[in-house]
Amino acid sequence: MQVAKDVKRALRLGKRVLKGRQAYFQLRQLIEARGELPEQHFRVGVYFADSDVNIYQMRQWYAPLRKLSELHPVLVLARNAAGARQLMQESELAVEFVQRVTDIERVIEAQQLDVILYVNQNTRNFQMMRYGQRWHVFVNHGESDKMYMTSNQHKTYDFAFVAGDAARERLSRALWDYDVTQRTVPIGRPQADHLDGEPPFTPDNRTVVFYAPTWEGDRPAASYGSVASHGEAIVRKLIATGRHRVVYRPHPRSGVVDSEFGAANQRIIEMIEAANRDDATAQHVYDTSPSLGWQLSLPDVAICDISAMIYDRLATGRPLMVTRPVEAAAAVDEVGYLSVCEWLTATETGNIESVLDRVIGDDEARERLVTWSAHYFGDTTPGAPTRRFHAAIADLLAKADAERVKHAALGRG
């Protein structure tokens, strides 16, 4: 038995090595086809140390960063070959592959990079943060009330761009001696200005339900995923009504820790495929598209786990339900929006049709959504978040200029 396990382990390792080599050579071809980037052109950088498995963390920033590039050219610094390849293929942003620390130093010599943005808390972020005379800014990859949002790692960065008042209150409660007034900059949700795209179906009289669960988590306190506890029942029931259209968008990491969770995810996908074969007018969707747009703004109601997806939907002010974790140890912060949200327990999934009808028709629930949307994101008027994001970047670039003048006057270079 041990020999069989060793063989499987060796095969998995071999596949990873082969995948890595393929990514590396494909990336080199992309770089050669593009040519060298102009020197001293970029003042804003985005650091991404992960592989393509976590590319979703960058994807939500593509549109805001492309818009920012019109004012201040943006350069993505990618440490992993598979991640860099994916970024070059789909982001439409300038990308430099900086596999080694010496590569980072080469880019720093070629580009001023006064502001470096970070979308996650990868431990390799520290290899970039060793370089001073620039602002290191945490922008995260979503807004939520998860434990991740109050990590003491926030103190590592010069500044954090946060969504709004709720984020500042959350950090004030959780962290010691952290000056949220000085260290955080509320910018709202710039992604909300780019909720476009066309759905892969023709809207009709069906009620569109967006079900966007998170993954299973890597520890009990973070076990928010509902695919196995809620998901199969939700999708099966809604498909059976004939008056609902399900848009299923699972987290890309579903099943990486728990194989049964992954199996439940696969069964839901197969349910959707079978339902579409049986009824061509159903047009249920298994959504794996790289960007979010119509999925948040169009559906009549959304069902989300405790994750950033809740707050992406909250920004639209449209009907929303949150799945209640079945894991007793799951950490649930019910101080913010989760204190008044529309919870969906696993036992209620058997009656999901009437539950959704109630939520969609609840005027008081809609009013709460508008109030809490403002608390989390500030002014959500179209264009306002983008203007705040651009202003925050411009302010840091101006501060960088002032610091350079001050250091030059002191003879520090």
Side-chain angles (χ1 to χ4, degrees):
M1 182 174 290
Q2 183 60 44
V3 172
K5 288 183 178 179
D6 290 342
V7 170
K8 289 181 179 179
R9 189 177 296 110
L11 287 172
R12 287 197 299 269
L13 178 61
K15 288 180 180 178
R16 284 200 297 270
V17 171
L18 179 60
K19 181 183 176 182
R21 287 179 176 174
Q22 289 175 336
Y24 181 83
F25 287 116
Q26 290 170 0
L27 173 62
R28 284 299 175 194
Q29 291 175 342
L30 290 171
I31 292 173
E32 289 177 8
R34 180 199 65 192
E36 295 294 325
L37 294 172
E39 293 190 4
Q40 301 305 321
H41 180 67
F42 301 95
R43 294 189 67 189
V44 179
V46 184
Y47 182 87
F48 186 69
D50 287 77
S51 71
D52 53 347
V53 72
N54 283 332
I55 202 70
Y56 70 94
Q57 297 172 341
M58 279 293 300
R59 278 175 172 162
Q60 64 175 261
W61 279 103
Y62 287 171
L65 290 172
R66 287 196 296 265
K67 190 66 175 176
L68 176 65
S69 289
E70 296 175 9
L71 298 174
H72 309 289
V74 175
L75 176 64
V76 180
L77 301 161
R79 301 297 305 279
N80 176 275
R85 177 190 60 184
Q86 196 82 4
L87 287 162
M88 289 195 70
Q89 289 174 334
E90 67 183 32
S91 73
E92 300 178 34
L93 295 165
V95 179
E96 277 282 21
F97 179 44
V98 287
Q99 186 176 31
R100 299 175 296 272
V101 172
T102 52
D103 295 323
I104 296 177
E105 293 177 347
R106 170 180 53 80
V107 172
I108 286 176
E109 290 179 2
Q111 309 293 343
Q112 190 162 308
L113 295 180
D114 288 321
V115 176
I116 306 293
L117 308 178
Y118 299 81
V119 301
N120 60 26
Q121 300 282 20
N122 190 302
T123 55
R124 295 182 78 188
N125 289 2
F126 282 95
Q127 291 183 333
M128 183 72 213
M129 296 177 72
R130 65 187 291 186
Y131 299 103
Q133 298 191 357
R134 53 190 37 84
W135 304 121
H136 298 273
V137 183
F138 184 53
V139 297
N140 213 333
H141 55 274
E143 162 69 5
S144 76
D145 286 314
K146 293 171 69 172
M147 296 168 55
Y148 182 85
M149 302 300 294
T150 55
S151 166
N152 203 57
Q153 290 165 299
H154 276 75
K155 295 179 180 178
T156 306
Y157 305 89
D158 296 304
F159 301 97
F161 287 178
V162 299
D165 292 340
R168 285 181 148 186
E169 292 173 4
R170 190 187 306 121
L171 289 167
S172 294
R173 290 194 305 269
L175 304 183
W176 288 350
D177 195 26
Y178 183 69
D179 189 339
V180 296
T181 302
Q182 296 296 321
R183 302 282 295 279
T184 66
V185 182
I187 63 169
R189 187 77 176 143
Q191 291 82 353
D193 288 331
H194 303 276
L195 298 183
D196 51 14
E198 294 296 325
F201 56 82
T202 302
D204 51 23
N205 61 353
R206 284 181 180 251
T207 298
V208 180
V209 181
F210 181 43
Y211 176 42
T214 190
W215 67 306
E216 61 269 37
D218 56 3
R219 56 198 182 280
S223 296
Y224 302 120
S226 69
V227 168
S229 58
H230 297 61
E232 288 188 82
I234 289 172
V235 175
R236 185 181 298 109
K237 288 283 185 178
L238 293 178
I239 284 176
T241 69
R243 68 182 183 89
H244 292 87
R245 175 169 293 121
V246 176
V247 177
Y248 178 55
R249 186 183 177 90
H251 193 287
R253 289 180 61 82
S254 296
V256 298
V257 172
D258 182 352
S259 60
E260 176 49 35
F261 195 98
N265 174 52
Q266 186 58 40
R267 288 192 291 270
I268 292 174
I269 295 169
E270 292 169 358
M271 272 189 239
I272 290 173
E273 292 172 346
N276 286 338
R277 285 195 300 270
D278 294 341
D279 180 3
T281 68
Q283 296 183 302
H284 302 293
V285 179
Y286 165 45
D287 181 39
T288 59
S289 54
S291 60
L292 271 171
W294 66 266
Q295 301 94 325
L296 292 170
S297 58
L298 182 147
D300 298 286
V301 63
I303 302 173
C304 303
D305 296 344
I306 297 175
S307 70
M309 197 66 74
I310 293 175
Y311 305 89
D312 289 342
R313 173 68 176 190
L314 180 63
T316 69
R318 291 173 58 75
L320 167 67
M321 293 203 78
V322 181
T323 61
R324 172 75 75 172
V326 296
E327 170 57 61
V332 180
D333 180 359
E334 295 192 41
V335 175
Y337 171 67
L338 298 184
S339 66
V340 298
C341 72
E342 300 292 332
W343 287 107
L344 177 65
T345 65
T347 57
E348 291 177 299
T349 57
N351 196 31
I352 188 63
E353 181 180 358
S354 60
V355 171
L356 292 182
D357 286 344
R358 173 185 60 78
V359 172
I360 292 172
D362 190 337
D363 291 335
E364 291 185 3
R366 286 177 178 270
E367 290 178 6
R368 287 197 297 272
L369 285 170
V370 172
T371 299
W372 283 91
S373 177
H375 182 58
Y376 275 82
F377 301 104
D379 183 2
T380 56
T381 303
T386 293
R387 289 191 293 272
R388 293 168 74 186
F389 178 42
H390 290 180
I393 292 293
D395 180 61
L396 290 185
L397 292 176
K399 287 180 178 179
D401 288 336
E403 287 292 328
R404 291 184 185 282
V405 170
K406 182 172 68 176
H407 278 242
L410 295 172
R412 297 175 182 173

